[in-house]
Amino acid sequence: METNLHKSAVNFDAETHSYEYKGKSLLGVTPIVGWVFNDTYDGIPADVLKRAAEHGSAVHKACELYDSAGVMMPDYENEVSAYQRMKNDAGVETLCNEYLVDMTSREYGIASSIDVVFREKDGRYPLADIKTTSAIHIQNVTLQLSIYAMMFEVCNPDKTAGEL
């Protein structure tokens, strides 16, 4: 999708889920949230967390495919339909998926991809993160999306993040 948003010079390696800029490794937002809320997944077995992460990644890809090409992946029809209902209820339309933002211009070593940036609404750009957890961890998501909003505005100084 063509956007009028700043294009980051950060390199993202999807296989290792790592960020690099000018030979320097950057920290993602997820580890920061995990550091602040380090007990969120205490007591959950590693194999359960791994399966949940794999499912979440697949749902992300299915939602992105639907947004970009209108293709519904049969194995994820329920999740993508719920995502579409949420968008319809909120009155938003996707501008881009996996929008890479960074703080390299401020000498911070942080980068991350925002799951969804919605088209401008009321002069602002709503941001979203797709979650597939059994419960929404409000504090974690609030911190994550607040950091994304700050990074979005640093990368796009003429734009304002909207609802999170």
Side-chain angles (χ1 to χ4, degrees):
M1 293 179 202
E2 185 63 32
T3 71
N4 60 345
L5 301 177
H6 166 78
K7 177 144 176 47
S8 175
V10 167
N11 294 313
F12 174 67
D13 183 331
E15 191 172 307
T16 62
H17 201 89
S18 61
Y19 303 90
E20 178 268 328
Y21 178 69
K22 295 183 178 179
K24 179 182 175 186
S25 292
L26 305 176
L27 184 63
V29 171
T30 301
I32 294 169
V33 173
W35 176 73
V36 174
F37 299 108
N38 60 7
D39 61 348
T40 300
Y41 299 108
D42 280 359
I44 300 174
D47 63 314
V48 172
L49 290 174
K50 183 177 186 259
R51 281 194 314 273
E54 289 167 354
H55 175 75
S57 293
V59 169
H60 277 230
K61 287 179 180 139
C63 290
E64 185 175 355
L65 182 62
Y66 189 81
D67 278 341
S68 64
V71 174
M72 180 69 77
M73 293 177 65
D75 290 345
Y76 302 100
E77 192 170 336
N78 289 338
E79 293 91 336
V80 175
S81 294
Y83 168 69
Q84 283 302 113
R85 278 193 305 279
M86 180 278 308
K87 287 176 38 174
N88 290 340
D89 291 349
V92 294
E93 181 182 332
T94 300
L95 176 63
C96 64
N97 299 90
E98 298 299 325
Y99 176 59
L100 184 59
V101 291
D102 65 80
M103 294 288 285
T104 56
S105 66
R106 297 261 179 108
E107 299 304 319
Y108 296 103
I110 303 172
S112 201
S113 293
I114 301 171
D115 287 351
V116 188
V117 177
F118 296 110
R119 293 198 184 281
E120 186 176 7
K121 182 179 174 184
D122 302 325
R124 302 180 316 152
Y125 292 80
L127 309 176
D129 194 79
I130 298 169
K131 298 295 185 195
T132 60
T133 52
S134 61
I136 299 296
H137 303 100
I138 300 296
Q139 291 179 318
N140 302 50
V141 175
T142 300
L143 177 59
Q144 178 184 13
L145 286 169
S146 296
I147 295 170
Y148 286 170
M150 176 186 64
M151 293 172 72
F152 176 87
E153 291 177 359
V154 166
C155 291
N156 299 281
D158 60 329
K159 296 176 178 36
T160 304
E163 292 180 71
L164 306 175

